[in-house]
Amino acid sequence: MSDDRLHILDCDTGVDDAMAIGLLLAEAPQTFVGATAVFGNVDVRRAALNTRSLLELAGRADIPVHLGAASSLDGAFWGSGHRVHGENGVGGVQLPNPTGTAGDGEPAPSYLVRTVRENPGRVVIIAVGPLTNLAIALSMDPGIAELVAEIVIMGGAVRHPGNATPAAEANVWHDPEAADRVLRSGARVRLVPLDATMQQRMTGDEQTELAGSSSRFAQAVAQASEHYLDFYTNVFPGRQCALHDPLVAALALDSALVTSEVTTSIEVQLAPGPARGQTVADLRGLYKGPVHREGHTTSVVLETEAGFSRRLVEALTCLP
Ligand code: RIB
Ligand code: CA
């Protein structure tokens, strides 16, 4: 992979987004050039504020945070993941007030278009919230689809059940039309669905390790994870939580962890009803029948090597 790549994180900063920010700061400190905020786990202003506070906590006030979409393309959803991420998105933890404003002047979609145009073939967009900012950017300038190096998305559920609904994963469910637009754009897309992210987990012991470290960033993530771990006691046995967004950030930096990946078509279900937001992949192989779509451009990561939480803990604890 070319090492002149630049990374932009498009996030709805809740607890696992905070972990993704930490992973990028630790492992890609030079190439993590900007963040864009979107509604999702919280409203967009809170997402930008959380992102800014976390960057400043790590001493990286130089990384800009651009304010993005406040609602889904259809205007139906403005953000709320309090049940999973706590009232303020970071488990109720009071992060230090940022010195800068929550959002830098240029709106997120314009920033994405401009940065991709100014750096053809170099920009990797890591999308870990609803895909609305990207969908708007692609509508403003469809030509960026072939100029972006890659779009790596935390989203969808292929063989795994949904988490927002029985069929739909939260980031896709919160704006299915945006996800559909991005997946049809022709851009090089790598999708990392729940199939992969639900298998990588942080334990209560690892949370304690973060809390006991000398890193103020790791300590804040440990505190924020308390609510998140509580939520997951209804999902997994014991005390452990899924590492959705940090896994996707890591996969955007290198593919070492990937053990199963397919290139396939992905269709987002848009019709109202129980399947809205479902991501349907064609995994039929030899059984493929007459109905299929040509020109598959989506890589879907189905499995990754166990043990990612160790890499995450090491990354977070080396931050200030
Ligand atoms: O479904 C998991 C995703 O939804 C993660 O990005 C999490 O932060 C929430 O936004
Ligand atoms: Ca997220």
Side-chain angles (χ1 to χ4, degrees), residues 12 16-17 41 128-129 171 245:
D12 58 336
D16 61 327
D17 304 72
N41 291 325
V128 296
N171 289 339
D245 295 352

Side-chain angles (χ1 to χ4, degrees), residues 203-317:
T203 64
D205 286 348
E206 286 167 326
Q207 178 207 21
T208 307
E209 199 176 331
L210 292 178
S213 79
S214 58
S215 159
R216 57 177 186 262
F217 192 98
Q219 289 166 7
V221 168
Q223 252 188 301
S225 300
E226 192 64 26
H227 182 97
Y228 193 58
L229 281 157
D230 285 347
F231 167 80
Y232 271 101
T233 54
N234 295 317
V235 181
F236 299 134
R239 196 155 177 79
Q240 46 180 342
C241 59
L243 296 175
H244 309 289
D245 295 352
L247 175 68
V248 175
L251 294 177
L253 301 183
D254 64 74
S255 295
L257 280 173
V258 175
T259 53
S260 171
E261 183 163 16
V262 292
T263 303
T264 179
S265 63
I266 292 276
E267 303 261 6
V268 182
Q269 294 300 297
L270 300 177
R276 181 165 163 79
Q278 185 175 21
T279 43
V280 180
D282 192 347
L283 302 178
R284 290 173 294 172
L286 280 178
Y287 294 101
K288 202 164 277 188
V291 179
H292 62 276
R293 227 174 68 193
E294 298 298 345
H296 301 165
T297 54
T298 306
S299 289
V300 183
V301 176
L302 295 172
E303 284 172 20
T304 54
E305 200 175 302
F308 167 66
S309 59
R310 290 314 311 159
R311 173 169 163 184
L312 179 66
V313 168
E314 274 157 36
L316 299 182
T317 52

Side-chain angles (χ1 to χ4, degrees), residues 3-8 24 27-34 253:
D3 53 14
D4 68 346
R5 293 192 165 202
L6 302 174
H7 299 96
I8 297 175
L24 290 174
E27 294 195 1
Q30 306 300 330
T31 61
F32 180 17
V33 293
L253 301 183

Side-chain angles (χ1 to χ4, degrees), residues 50 55 107 113 130 134 159 172 238 275:
N50 290 348
L55 290 171
V113 168
L134 263 168
R159 295 180 177 132
V172 175

